[in-house]
Amino acid sequence: MQGRFKRDGSASAEPEPHGGTGPMAVSSSPQHAQNQGKHAAGDGGERPGRPGAPAPSGQTGPAAAAKQPKGPVGPGSRMALRNWRISTRLVSLLALPVVAATSLGAMRISQSLDDMQQLDNMKLLTDMTKQATELAAALQEERDQSAGPLAHGSKASAISIKGDREKTDRALKNFLESSEEIDSASKNGTLHGVRDSLVGLASDLNDLNKIRSTAYESRENSTRTVDAYHRLISHLLDLSQDMAEATSNPEMIQRTRALAAFSTAKEYASVQRAVIAAALPATNTKAGDLSENDRLYAEAALQSQRSELRSFTSIYGDGAEELLKPIDQGNPTIEATDKYAGRVLGTDGAIEEIERRSYQDWLDDSSTKIQQMKNIEHTLLEDMEQKARELRSESEREAIISGALILLVLGVSLVGAFVMARSMIRSLRRLEDTATRVAQDRLPELVKQLSESDPQDVDTSVESVGLHSRDEIGRVAAAFDDVHREAVRLAAEQALLRGNVNAMFTNLSRRSQGLIQRQLSLISELESREADPDQLSSLFKLDHLATRMRRNGENLLVLAGEEPGRRWTRPVPLVDVLRAAASEVEQYERIELSSVPTTEVAGRVVNDLVHLLAELLENATSFSSPQTKVKVTGHALPDGRVLIEIHDTGIGLSPEDLAAINERLASPPTVDVSVSRRMGLFVVGRLSQRHGIRIQLRPSDSGGTTALVMLPVDVAQGGKKPQPKQGQGPGISGGPAAAQAAAGAAAARRAAAGQG
């Protein structure tokens, strides 16, 4: 049975001998299969130019290569941009501006954090400046209060001098402790300049004890001691200039410079107090003694004081005059002190000519002005601290607002992008789902209904995708609806055309069946009158050919989906059905029946089963050696079914061919041109499917192929339980004897002439 179905399931292209049909009856013998000749192409074989046909043998080389498709084939790599999902593309598209906005926002927040760090450093420097100012004030008091007693060698004020120095030591200790915080803050890369200044200042402060040990030893040169203190104080006051490193705020820089100018003016006022105190005696009974060098030094300090006050007024701006009122006007003591200092320092020897006073009187009067300047200095420091706190709070507030705005903008952007992407993706998914359902379910189901029913009874209306937007997705959905409607229309037209073809097949088959029936009747009449064996043999051959022609006509009815015109009303023994099927085969003498159970076939199935078995037997005899037998056996199963086995001894089929053939037998394809070239396979599948008969091909243990035909209970039992016939054994054996052949032919004729 191997030659009937090729590896691809297609039929061989041999010429149809003796009216045989399709791949189930294409040749009477292997010798006929070898004589294909030019007629092979005319039997439905594929011709050049037909879709799916191979290229002609002459078209090879460049000509054949030119017909091959060019360019990329298939969707390509999963990572290719064109294969990305729409959601992935939208996320990637939105990720760029989101990342950019996030980066800019992060930079803005980082800048705010840097500003906050700078303001923290500025607050630290403000505290450090306050400690430095207090230490400078303590040094000024120590220098000024000790000038008179040490310059005149008085021991009465030793206790007060010791107290001033202890105050200075405490202020120095606080200052050094505060400088450690600057050292810690400088480790993060900031305040390096301030730290270096503090290191140098700490080194200078180590010389304080040395300055104290030699303070005012030279009676005529107090400037040496005053200047030594002055250098330490000037270094302390310079720290306020370093505060500009901590901020870029113009107002804060202005306040820092104003504080530095005023503190310097206060220092010059203190220098004058110290020089004059060193020149005055302990009592007012004697005149003071101010050397020219000391006078010039103090006079320069007076000029510098006035210059620094003018600078302060210029830097501070509005409000400076109001701030300086306590020292400029309204205080007689301060005015008298300034007048006295101007007279003493203005002219050489003036200190001996003006009123006499002790250094203690001078210190008491001049300290009024110094105290007022301390108050102003303290006010400036408090203003700076307040401004630093305000800037710190403002920077922190800006950072919080910036972060909140960035998060708000990102949130709004992401929500808006999500809403837009969701609307697009929902439309695309709806289009995708609808297209998938149409392609996989609706359209195949509709085509199946059109192929199985009258097209006019099938609902061919098309359900729209439901996307009516004006964007590209809506236009694609509308185009898909148009394509869907056109596909349904073409399927309906094809079904109508197929129905017309089936109707044509039916009409032709019915007419042929009538003519063949008359021909068989005539041949039967001639056989009954003829006594010559040779003539009778010829009539038998004509009878056989007419029977095969009738089967071909019935094949057309099966292709058209029609029921056979011949139908039995009573059950028929299975052995008679097998004999009738064998009689329709050209090489019926090679068929051997054995062990056929005594069961009857339902009358409604008899003709179709004869047709089905005849196709299988035709295939077995045509593609096996003429010297071999085709054995047909039957087995009655306990559940009432009957298994019929047809064994041949051909070369067999490959597992792939068997699988393909069994698949086609289980699920016959739709009628088309290819079915006409594989008519036997299609007819067997259709007939078995009509009555629930299972057919399977499998390799035979002795070589060749075995066809298994499983008859269901309602077919095998004839609608009732089997009744063994009287005088008949469990099985009937048949052979190639002429008497049995004649009986088979007679059974076939009786089946043909039976009344439904």
Side-chain angles (χ1 to χ4, degrees):
M1 297 180 73
Q2 85 289 351
R4 190 63 54 201
F5 310 112
K6 296 184 179 179
R7 181 174 298 275
D8 58 353
S10 62
S12 60
E14 297 102 344
E16 185 70 26
H18 307 289
T21 59
M24 297 299 292
V26 295
S27 178
S28 301
S29 66
Q31 290 83 356
H32 290 157
Q34 297 176 359
N35 299 325
Q36 298 179 6
K38 298 180 180 180
H39 300 285
D43 190 27
E46 294 181 349
R47 300 183 179 90
R50 181 180 301 175
S57 58
Q59 295 184 1
T60 59
K67 297 182 179 181
Q68 299 297 326
K70 298 181 179 180
V73 180
S77 173
R78 183 65 181 86
M79 300 302 296
L81 183 60
R82 67 175 183 272
N83 293 329
W84 288 15
R85 296 174 61 88
I86 297 296
S87 57
T88 305
R89 297 184 189 182
L90 290 175
V91 170
S92 302
L93 182 62
L94 295 173
L96 296 177
V98 168
V99 169
T102 304
S103 300
L104 294 176
M107 293 175 60
R108 180 68 182 88
I109 294 176
S110 177
Q111 183 179 359
S112 298
L113 294 177
D114 291 340
D115 293 341
M116 292 173 62
Q117 181 62 38
Q118 289 181 356
L119 291 171
D120 289 338
N121 293 337
M122 186 181 67
K123 183 178 182 300
L124 187 61
L125 284 175
T126 303
D127 296 337
M128 193 69 205
T129 301
K130 186 176 181 180
Q131 296 294 334
T133 302
E134 292 179 356
L135 178 57
L139 288 172
Q140 290 170 355
E141 287 295 326
E142 176 184 337
R143 177 189 60 189
D144 298 350
Q145 294 295 336
S146 63
L150 293 178
H152 296 88
S154 174
K155 304 298 183 181
S157 301
I159 297 177
S160 62
I161 294 174
K162 183 179 179 181
D164 292 334
R165 290 182 177 180
E166 289 177 353
K167 291 180 181 179
T168 302
D169 292 338
R170 287 194 297 270
L172 176 60
K173 181 181 179 181
N174 295 334
F175 175 78
L176 294 178
E177 290 176 353
S178 299
S179 64
E180 294 178 358
E181 298 181 6
I182 298 294
D183 183 67
S184 300
S186 64
K187 293 180 180 179
N188 60 4
T190 59
L191 303 179
H192 283 301
V194 178
R195 179 181 177 277
D196 295 339
S197 299
L198 286 175
V199 171
L201 183 57
S203 178
D204 294 339
L205 290 173
N206 290 332
D207 297 335
L208 180 59
N209 291 330
K210 182 179 179 181
I211 296 174
R212 288 174 176 175
S213 63
T214 60
Y216 300 105
E217 288 182 350
S218 176
R219 177 69 181 83
E220 300 294 333
N221 189 13
S222 62
T223 302
R224 179 180 177 182
T225 302
V226 173
D227 189 63
Y229 276 99
H230 174 69
R231 286 195 299 271
L232 292 178
I233 295 171
S234 296
H235 290 169
L236 289 170
L237 297 180
D238 288 340
L239 284 178
S240 60
Q241 298 289 350
D242 296 332
M243 292 181 63
E245 295 183 6
T247 181
S248 58
N249 186 272
E251 186 176 356
M252 199 66 188
I253 294 175
Q254 178 185 4
R255 292 175 182 271
T256 302
R257 293 175 58 195
L259 174 63
F262 187 81
S263 296
T264 303
K266 175 174 167 288
E267 165 59 13
Y268 284 129
S270 178
V271 167
Q272 299 171 51
R273 183 174 64 164
V275 171
I276 295 176
L280 292 175
T283 63
N284 54 7
T285 57
K286 294 188 299 183
D289 184 11
L290 180 63
S291 65
E292 182 64 16
N293 184 51
D294 292 346
R295 186 188 69 81
L296 293 176
Y297 182 81
E299 184 181 13
L302 177 60
Q303 299 300 326
S304 298
Q305 174 193 345
R306 294 171 179 172
S307 176
E308 292 296 335
L309 287 175
R310 288 194 296 270
S311 297
F312 168 76
T313 304
S314 176
I315 295 172
Y316 192 86
D318 297 339
E321 295 180 357
E322 185 67 25
L323 192 62
L324 294 178
K325 271 186 178 183
I327 61 175
D328 285 345
Q329 53 185 339
N331 195 319
T333 303
I334 295 176
E335 293 178 358
T337 302
D338 290 342
K339 183 177 180 181
Y340 178 81
R343 292 174 60 188
V344 169
L345 301 177
T347 306
D348 185 21
I351 193 173
E352 299 175 357
E353 298 176 357
I354 61 176
E355 59 179 330
R356 297 177 181 179
R357 58 194 318 181
S358 65
Y359 63 82
Q360 191 61 47
D361 295 335
W362 163 251
L363 288 175
D364 292 341
D365 294 339
S366 60
S367 295
T368 302
K369 180 178 181 179
I370 297 299
Q371 184 60 42
Q372 292 295 335
M373 297 185 77
K374 282 183 181 180
N375 296 337
I376 297 174
E377 190 178 47
H378 184 70
T379 301
L380 294 175
L381 282 171
E382 287 184 347
D383 291 345
M384 287 180 58
E385 290 179 344
Q386 180 64 25
K387 187 62 179 179
R389 286 193 294 269
E390 291 177 358
L391 291 176
R392 174 68 168 75
S393 300
E394 182 179 355
S395 180
E396 183 177 4
R397 185 168 56 254
E398 289 181 357
I400 294 174
I401 293 175
S402 299
L405 287 176
I406 292 171
L407 292 177
L408 179 61
V409 171
L410 287 178
V412 172
S413 301
L414 291 177
V415 170
F418 174 77
V419 171
M420 295 180 63
R422 185 167 177 266
S423 68
M424 293 178 60
I425 293 175
R426 287 180 63 184
S427 300
L428 288 172
R429 286 179 177 173
R430 183 172 183 178
L431 178 59
E432 178 188 9
D433 294 341
T434 304
T436 303
R437 287 197 301 270
V438 168
Q440 297 180 357
D441 300 329
R442 296 181 186 174
L443 198 56
E445 182 65 24
L446 180 63
V447 172
K448 182 179 179 181
Q449 293 179 5
L450 290 173
S451 63
E452 297 176 352
S453 308
D454 188 352
Q456 296 180 354
D457 298 336
V458 178
D459 183 13
T460 58
S461 61
V462 174
E463 182 180 356
S464 175
V465 177
L467 296 177
H468 306 291
S469 58
R470 298 183 179 179
D471 59 352
E472 289 80 358
I473 300 176
R475 291 197 290 270
V476 171
F480 178 79
D481 290 339
D482 295 339
V483 172
H484 188 190
R485 281 189 288 269
E486 185 66 17
V488 171
R489 185 186 65 81
L490 292 176
E493 290 182 357
Q494 184 181 11
L496 183 61
L497 177 61
R498 187 164 53 247
N500 294 334
V501 172
N502 291 341
M504 181 178 63
F505 284 169
T506 302
N507 293 332
L508 292 176
S509 177
R510 297 295 186 193
R511 293 185 180 185
S512 299
Q513 290 283 64
L515 295 175
I516 293 173
Q517 189 67 30
R518 292 169 59 186
Q519 183 180 3
L520 286 172
S521 299
L522 179 59
I523 293 174
S524 179
E525 183 180 352
L526 292 175
E527 287 175 348
S528 63
R529 299 176 185 176
E530 186 62 48
D532 187 357
D534 295 334
Q535 293 294 332
L536 186 60
S537 176
S538 299
L539 289 175
F540 283 164
K541 292 181 180 180
L542 288 176
D543 189 312
H544 179 73
L545 290 176
T547 303
R548 294 189 63 187
M549 292 174 60
R550 183 182 62 194
R551 194 169 80 232
N552 286 342
E554 291 177 350
N555 286 344
L556 293 178
L557 289 178
V558 174
L559 288 177
E562 296 290 336
E563 296 289 338
R566 300 176 296 124
R567 186 181 293 261
W568 291 80
T569 58
R570 298 187 304 273
V572 176
L574 179 60
V575 64
D576 292 341
V577 173
L578 292 174
R579 287 172 177 173
S583 68
E584 295 190 5
V585 178
E586 182 177 5
Q587 302 180 55
Y588 60 87
E589 68 277 1
R590 292 175 52 201
I591 300 173
E592 181 179 305
L593 304 180
S594 63
S595 301
V596 179
T598 59
T599 183
E600 294 182 342
V601 178
R604 59 182 174 80
V605 190
V606 168
N607 290 321
D608 288 344
L609 185 58
V610 169
H611 192 167
L612 183 151
L613 294 173
E615 293 289 348
L616 294 176
L617 292 172
E618 182 77 30
N619 186 76
T621 57
S622 298
F623 292 93
S624 60
S625 176
Q627 291 76 27
T628 61
K629 295 292 185 180
V630 175
K631 297 182 179 181
V632 181
T633 61
H635 306 280
L637 302 181
D639 58 358
R641 294 180 299 170
V642 174
L643 176 64
I644 301 173
E645 299 183 8
I646 301 175
H647 305 274
D648 66 48
T649 55
I651 61 175
L653 293 170
S654 65
E656 294 80 4
D657 293 337
L658 285 175
I661 293 173
N662 288 327
E663 175 66 23
R664 288 182 176 271
L665 288 174
S667 302
T670 305
V671 178
D672 55 11
V673 177
S674 62
V675 169
S676 66
R677 297 193 298 269
R678 298 185 290 270
M679 187 179 298
L681 174 65
F682 178 83
V683 169
V684 170
R686 272 291 181 88
L687 292 177
S688 63
Q689 191 179 47
R690 179 183 296 175
H691 300 291
I693 301 173
R694 294 179 57 188
I695 300 178
Q696 186 178 14
L697 303 183
R698 69 180 184 184
S700 178
D701 297 336
S702 59
T705 306
T706 299
L708 303 178
V709 180
M710 180 67 72
L711 302 181
V713 176
D714 60 338
V715 173
Q717 301 301 327
K720 60 181 180 179
K721 294 183 179 180
Q723 297 291 336
K725 296 182 179 180
Q726 184 176 3
Q728 186 174 353
I732 299 177
S733 298
Q740 280 192 345
R749 287 194 296 273
R750 285 196 303 272
Q755 297 299 323

